[in-house]
């Protein structure tokens, strides 16, 4: 039992006991942290709004048997612009949901943490790039180890004749490797996705609005297939 | 293990939120040692609440009638509606004595992370009330959390095109609090929502 310092992004929280909350935090050093914040639901709590979802915080924690107790917290980055726009909040919700599902307790997740931080920063900036969420999901897939093959056939490695796409096979397929259930993507879509996948979230390629919707749809279904679960937050994007 | 009738009560009490096994045992033995009329009164209060209480057909507050006492009160201002997440929030606002309109209980808040959208809330019912009751202002009294803010933004998007004034409870420093302990988000909101004296 000891005090320790850490930092992380608040993924979500839920009421616990009379006035406490269990706060789930993504730490770059310890992975998913399950913590308890005493009295945080009271209006005069010393934590105030510091432990709201989507806040990057610096923490002092007391190691507990099940949950570590937060004893001090200060804000590193609050992403204030993001919070004032419903569409940005919904997109941030998807980023958080993926990070929450993928991260494990006691497993350092620096890459996932940095991805989430960059994603939230991009949502907190000026205009939001139409392919930001697609880029985030593609990079999350890469971190998990299921990045789709987009520039070569997932079956044989061929680089031309890539006409089909298969979730199960892990990306694009050439005519020779096509499997039942694989389907044709519209022309140029794999190249469009590949350009997004290889760009930084803050420097995504020039968007093509006719491609954006479909590229997000394909990426979403690809990730859902490999995570073996639906992304609940994306239902709000559809609404 | 206790005798079956005692154990049964302990088991039932332990299912309540915030009640552990030890507290359940303490409560059960308190009831065992109390006057029989006290225990019967408690049992009767629980069963009659379950039997008689339902949701107000207008605002979804809990009530024993068709409509709750607030909706039936003819002195209330029917043009203003205060939207709350849960029925428990209504007495808190009533205690302030500052609000004389009616309420609408949404039944939760939009949660982008858990995928709770407007379809799972009573947003459609609120929309139906706007025309039917000539509502001109909707005060969103959802919690000052990310979910509460998302709910407020959604309701504003839904209602503003109808010419309804949509307002949000101010958030800022608690009365009697200390500026030293205020966090950046709360203090920022207090500053942007400051009032001229």
């Amino acid at each position: 039992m000891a005090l320790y310092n850490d930092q992380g992004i608040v993924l979500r929280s839920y009421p616990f006991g009379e006035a406490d909350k269990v706060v789930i935090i993504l730490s770059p050093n310890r992975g998913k942290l399950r913590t308890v914040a005493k009295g945080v639901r009271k209006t005069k709590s010393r934590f105030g709004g510091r432990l709201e979802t989507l806040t990057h915080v610096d923490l002092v924690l007391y190691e507990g048997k099940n949950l570590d107790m937060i004893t001090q917290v200060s804000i590193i980055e609050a992403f204030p612009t993001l919070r004032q726009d419903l569409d940005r909040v919904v997109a941030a919700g998807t980023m958080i949901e993926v990070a929450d599902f993928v991260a494990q307790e006691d497993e350092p997740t620096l890459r996932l943490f940095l991805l989430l931080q960059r994603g939230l920063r991009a949502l907190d900036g000026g205009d939001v790039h139409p392919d930001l969420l697609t880029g985030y999901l593609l990079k999350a897939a890469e971190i998990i180890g299921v990045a789709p093959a987009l520039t070569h056939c997932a079956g044989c490695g061929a680089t031309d004749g890539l006409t089909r796409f298969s979730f199960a096979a892990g990306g694009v397929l050439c005519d020779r490797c096509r499997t039942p259930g694989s389907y044709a993507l519209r022309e140029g879509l794999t190249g469009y996705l590949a350009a997004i996948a290889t760009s930084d979230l803050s420097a995504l390629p020039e968007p093509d609005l006719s491609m954006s919707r479909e590229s997000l749809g394909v990426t979403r279904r690809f990730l859902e297939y490999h995570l073996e679960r639906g992304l609940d937050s994306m239902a709000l994007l559809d609404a | 293990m206790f005798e079956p009738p005692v154990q049964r009560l302990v088991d039932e009490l332990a299912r309540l939120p915030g009640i552990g096994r030890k507290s359940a045992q303490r409560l059960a033995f308190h009831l065992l040692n109390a006057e029989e009329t006290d225990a019967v009164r408690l049992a009767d209060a629980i069963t009659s609440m379950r039997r008689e209480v339902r949701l107000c057909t207008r605002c979804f507050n809990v009530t024993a009638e068709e409509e709750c006492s607030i909706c039936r009160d003819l002195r209330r201002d029917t043009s203003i509606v205060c939207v709350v997440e849960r029925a428990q929030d209504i007495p808190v606002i009533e205690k302030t004595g500052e609000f004389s309109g009616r309420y609408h209980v949404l039944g939760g808040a939009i949660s982008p992370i858990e995928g709770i959208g407007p379809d799972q809330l009573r947003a459609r019912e609120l929309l139906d009330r706007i025309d039917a009751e000539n509502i001109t202002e909707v005060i969103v009294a959802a919690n000052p959390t990310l979910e509460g803010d998302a709910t407020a933004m959604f309701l504003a998007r839904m209602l503003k095109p109808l010419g309804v004034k949509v307002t949000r409870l101010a958030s800022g420093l608690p009365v009697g609090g200390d500026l030293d302990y205020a966090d950046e988000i709360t203090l920022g909101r207090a500053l942007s929502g400051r009032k001229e004296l």
Side-chain angles (χ1 to χ4, degrees):
Chain A
M1 306 283 176
L3 281 174
Y4 67 93
N5 287 56
D6 206 344
Q7 57 160 298
I9 294 171
V10 179
L11 298 177
R12 63 191 162 91
S13 60
Y14 53 87
F16 182 67
E18 195 68 31
D20 311 337
K21 264 185 180 178
V22 170
V23 186
I24 315 289
I25 296 165
L26 182 71
S27 149
N29 311 307
R30 288 179 169 81
K32 197 149 72 172
L33 283 177
R34 289 170 55 79
T35 66
V36 62
K38 293 275 185 192
V40 72
R41 283 153 62 204
K42 292 182 181 169
T43 49
K44 285 188 189 171
S45 160
R46 65 205 159 99
F47 297 131
R50 294 181 181 95
L51 289 169
E52 267 303 290
T53 303
L54 299 178
T55 314
H56 181 190
V57 285
D58 191 63
L59 301 156
V60 179
L61 299 120
Y62 186 79
E63 224 172 272
K65 252 192 279 178
N66 299 315
L67 300 166
D68 293 354
M69 192 168 77
I70 297 174
T71 59
Q72 285 176 46
V73 54
S74 56
I75 294 177
I76 296 173
E77 208 168 357
F79 309 109
T81 314
L82 187 171
R83 293 169 192 278
Q84 289 161 20
D85 183 284
L86 186 57
D87 297 325
R88 293 179 197 226
V89 169
V90 171
T94 302
M95 292 182 180
I96 291 274
E97 187 184 0
V98 172
D100 187 18
F101 185 71
V102 169
Q104 301 293 320
E105 289 177 43
D106 298 320
E107 264 184 31
T109 47
L110 180 63
R111 287 183 70 201
L112 188 63
F113 173 84
L114 290 175
L115 175 65
L116 180 61
Q117 187 185 39
R118 283 178 193 141
L120 296 180
R121 275 185 186 157
L123 281 174
D124 195 47
D127 292 339
V128 175
H129 195 289
D131 298 320
L132 176 64
L133 200 51
T134 308
Y136 179 89
L137 296 179
L138 285 170
K139 286 176 194 309
E142 190 196 331
I143 291 172
I144 307 162
V146 294
L150 296 167
T151 52
H152 59 271
C153 172
C156 67
T159 50
D160 25 298
L162 306 171
T163 54
R164 315 292 287 186
F165 191 88
S166 163
F167 297 134
V172 287
L173 295 171
C174 64
D175 270 341
R176 232 161 17 112
C177 296
R178 61 189 288 182
T179 53
S182 63
Y183 64 94
L185 284 181
R186 66 188 284 193
E187 205 177 330
L189 193 70
T190 46
Y192 190 73
L193 283 169
I196 294 172
T198 50
S199 305
D200 191 89
L201 289 185
S202 59
L204 290 167
E206 195 63 32
D208 176 349
L209 293 180
S210 66
M211 293 274 193
S212 289
R213 200 177 164 80
E214 199 175 335
S215 52
L216 179 60
V218 170
T219 310
R220 170 196 178 171
R221 277 180 286 143
F222 182 84
L223 200 57
E224 285 178 337
Y225 179 89
H226 288 281
L227 293 177
E228 295 180 7
R229 57 160 281 174
L231 293 173
D232 295 337
S233 55
M234 293 207 68
L236 290 185
L237 283 177
D238 303 335
Chain B
M1 282 291 277
F2 301 102
E3 286 300 303
V6 180
Q7 188 62 45
R8 197 177 138 215
L9 180 60
V10 170
D11 290 345
E12 288 302 322
L13 289 169
R15 290 172 59 190
L16 298 174
I19 308 275
R21 294 226 62 92
K22 208 74 191 161
S23 304
Q25 285 173 22
R26 203 166 53 241
L27 290 170
F29 276 93
H30 170 80
L31 290 168
L32 192 63
N33 295 324
E35 292 288 327
E36 192 179 340
T37 49
D38 289 347
V40 171
R41 208 170 46 242
L42 175 66
D44 185 51
I46 294 171
T47 48
S48 63
M49 179 195 76
R50 289 297 308 178
R51 205 170 37 235
E52 294 164 21
V53 169
R54 51 191 160 158
L55 296 183
C56 171
T57 51
R58 188 189 296 272
C59 74
F60 302 96
N61 187 8
V62 286
T63 176
E65 312 282 335
E66 174 86 7
E67 285 193 351
C68 71
S69 56
I70 295 171
C71 288
R72 289 199 314 269
D73 188 344
L74 298 174
R75 292 164 302 175
R76 310 277 310 197
D77 183 349
T78 57
S79 67
I80 305 180
V81 164
C82 179
V83 175
V84 292
E85 289 182 21
R86 306 169 309 162
Q88 296 98 295
D89 298 331
I90 293 179
V92 185
I93 295 174
E94 282 296 284
K95 261 201 268 178
T96 65
E98 297 280 334
F99 180 67
S100 61
R102 283 175 171 167
Y103 291 90
H104 187 85
V105 182
L106 268 186
I110 290 175
S111 173
I113 292 140
E114 284 158 42
I116 299 174
D119 295 345
Q120 284 116 295
L121 306 174
R122 299 189 192 101
R124 161 64 53 185
E125 288 84 345
L126 175 64
L127 194 60
D128 292 342
R129 287 182 65 184
I130 300 295
D131 264 352
E133 296 174 37
N134 283 327
I135 292 165
T136 55
E137 182 177 353
V138 169
I139 303 170
V140 185
N143 289 333
T145 57
L146 184 79
E147 291 80 8
D149 290 345
T151 308
M153 287 187 277
F154 170 78
L155 292 178
R157 195 181 275 188
M158 179 176 85
L159 299 173
K160 273 188 170 173
L162 305 176
V164 179
K165 182 176 170 188
V166 182
T167 54
R168 176 95 167 100
L169 287 191
S171 55
L173 301 168
V175 175
D178 201 313
L179 208 65
D180 262 5
Y181 287 100
D183 63 278
E184 296 89 320
I185 300 176
T186 308
L187 197 52
R189 288 197 185 185
L191 272 170
S192 62
R194 68 190 183 276
K195 281 176 94 171
E196 194 179 338
L197 299 173

